[in-house]
Amino acid sequence: MLQVNFIKANREAVLKGLAKKHFAETSLVDTIISLDDERKKLQFELDERQSKINTFSKEIGQLMATGEKRLAEEKKLEVASLKSFLQPVSEKLSEIEKDLHDTLVKLPNLPHSSVPIGKTPEENEIVKEGGQKPSLSYKAVPHWDLAKKYDLINFELGNKVTGAGFPFYKNKGAKLQRALIQYFLDYNTAAGYTEYEPPFMVNEASAFGTGQLPDKEDQMYLATADNLFLIPTAEVPLTNIYRDEIIKENELPVKMTGYTPCFRREAGSYGKDVRGLNRVHQFDKVELVQLVHPEKSYEVLEEMVVHVEKLLQSLHLPYRILRLCGGDMSFASALTYDFEVYSAAQEKWLEVSSVSNFETFQTNRMKIRFKGAGKTQLVHSLNGSSLALPRIVAALLENNQTADGIKLPEVLWKYFGEQSIK
RNA sequence: GGAGAGUUGUCCGAGUGGUUGAAGGAGCACGCCUGGAAAGUGUGUAUACGGGAAACUGUAUCGAGGGUUCGAAUCCCUCACUCUCCGCCA
């Protein structure tokens, strides 16, 4: 969430930013400002009275000690009257604090100046295209048919055992998952990221910290008996490792990577977009998270983009990098690059990674700070996928299909044990 | 699931009603000492929100929330979490 003081000092810029994000409820900004003014006023009153009470209490203590009971009793009465004034003020204050917080949480992050203007995915800016689209001599077969042909994935079995969108990976299909995860993690740790295997469920505070709550609880599975959410991405547990922590400046940047399954209810999805591996409720992903000095975050964002790009290049997949426009960006992000790979049979681009700088939007919620020479301040958080598996698998299958099997890129050979799927 | 113990600052740990934001130790920072380092030694070392140009200063915070009291880390209640033993179990 945005910082109140920032909003107050930059009202116009905030309004402009919200407009760029196509956020309609701009009146919230002034609501926040007046709530905070009110908050300050009440807090000040309260502090003053409390200060008097504290002084009196100490005096009463001394009077009691010297046996001056009558004077002590008089002071007690004074304190009582101060307190009766205090109570309604303090109730009002907590009400306002709650309002302020609830309102603050509704504002999305502001877009970075380089974010393209636009509302729909069509208006995203294509920053770069790389790799070669395959030229197949025959009509490319979609991955769901290839998966059946080579007995790699069983969607129907998933329907039976769990429900739609929970595929079984099988035989070489299962092994390919394992190989990709292993490869991605090795690639990330070689770049200095610390590997974690986090819990796959998180509590409410964690879900709030990264911005899943309060609005997006529809997208998460909830284990009600224990009030735990199944993670929609490793970003949630990884970033929350540092919730309520003050990091030493020389320990920045914090670089983390982790593999987890990701669980998404995807409420409201339908149609051909959800065919095969395009959109599933449970999928594997290796994630990157960085906590960095505020001055470095955009530099780091570019580094992460290059990092993910090289990973895609090593898989020899045709890809493109998009800079998301204001209207298509996520609630919490200040700047997002999406990576898409081309799938030859479906003849469309599939999103496989999203790399974002959240600046202080998440860290303000989580109170992740660092202490340097000067004062304690919030760090910037960034994250990105490297990579989400299902669509990578879809593209690998579709793009690399040949008459006698599916060829795998060389980087996977040692992990997969073979050069192709037959 | 049953029984018990616990949750204090960066960490360890003392503290059962009155200058306790909190003893002591460790760690860390800076200084002294040293040719340099270690050891030794001195000083400093929480966070949030306010007021103030600043020095500085007010309030809150000892798991969370509530209560008793003029006054609570200390007493009472509720909740959460952790640990130990037993049971169950990969």
Side-chain angles (χ1 to χ4, degrees), chain A residues 244-283:
Chain A
D244 293 319
E245 298 287 334
I246 297 175
I247 304 167
K248 287 187 187 135
E249 189 171 12
N250 60 22
E251 285 168 11
L252 296 175
V254 173
K255 301 171 78 175
M256 300 176 277
T257 186
Y259 151 74
T260 68
C262 302
F263 303 92
R264 299 190 183 177
R265 295 185 62 226
E266 301 291 1
S269 298
Y270 58 91
K272 62 181 186 321
D273 282 351
V274 307
R275 188 96 194 258
L277 288 174
N278 288 352
R279 176 164 279 130
V280 283
H281 290 306
Q282 179 187 319
F283 63 90

Side-chain angles (χ1 to χ4, degrees), chain A residues 46-237:
Chain A
L46 214 56
D47 284 357
E48 265 192 335
R49 307 269 165 172
Q50 190 60 52
S51 174
K52 275 186 196 155
I53 293 178
N54 290 347
T55 313
F56 280 147
S57 293
K58 278 179 195 162
E59 289 172 3
I60 291 169
Q62 281 159 6
L63 290 173
M64 299 289 259
T66 55
E68 300 180 71
K69 273 219 152 152
R70 202 178 52 80
L71 281 172
E73 289 305 321
E74 274 174 31
K75 292 259 182 205
K76 282 192 192 182
L77 286 176
E78 277 189 77
V79 170
S81 80
L82 280 169
K83 279 186 87 173
S84 65
F85 172 87
L86 215 84
Q87 203 194 353
V89 179
S90 110
E91 275 167 17
K92 180 78 182 158
L93 179 65
S94 22
E95 206 176 291
I96 289 197
E97 277 176 340
K98 185 178 183 304
D99 276 3
L100 180 61
H101 180 260
D102 291 352
T103 314
L104 218 43
V105 147
K106 287 182 188 159
L107 285 189
N109 201 358
L110 303 173
H112 184 254
S113 60
S114 68
V115 167
I117 293 177
K119 192 168 185 179
T120 64
E122 287 70 42
E123 291 165 279
N124 293 334
E125 179 191 332
I126 299 171
V127 180
K128 189 169 182 184
E129 246 184 275
Q132 284 268 308
K133 288 189 189 174
S135 47
L136 301 172
S137 53
Y138 54 92
K139 174 77 180 145
V141 179
H143 69 267
W144 47 86
D145 288 335
L146 292 167
K148 187 168 280 180
K149 178 178 173 188
Y150 295 102
D151 199 16
L152 304 175
I153 305 169
N154 191 328
F155 292 98
E156 293 72 25
L157 207 52
N159 294 346
K160 171 187 169 185
V161 173
T162 304
F166 289 93
F168 272 82
Y169 297 84
K170 197 182 164 192
N171 295 321
K172 294 293 156 71
K175 190 166 186 185
L176 180 59
Q177 295 289 113
R178 194 148 54 87
L180 286 167
I181 292 164
Q182 189 95 323
Y183 169 52
F184 294 164
L185 285 172
D186 283 352
Y187 175 78
N188 293 339
T189 53
Y193 289 87
T194 302
E195 182 176 344
Y196 284 89
E197 182 171 303
F200 302 158
M201 289 183 162
V202 293
N203 58 28
E204 237 175 286
S206 296
F208 173 80
T210 33
Q212 274 69 34
L213 295 181
D215 277 347
K216 290 179 240 337
E217 60 227 289
D218 287 357
Q219 287 300 322
M220 289 188 292
Y221 290 96
L222 172 63
T224 51
D226 298 286
N227 204 32
L228 294 173
F229 293 92
L230 272 77
I231 56 170
T233 159
E235 164 198 345
V236 181

Side-chain angles (χ1 to χ4, degrees), chain A residues 9-25:
Chain A
N10 302 279
R11 181 176 173 276
E12 297 309 315
V14 169
L15 288 172
K16 258 178 89 177
L18 292 178
K20 197 174 183 183
K21 260 203 164 173
H22 295 269
F23 181 78
E25 292 177 81

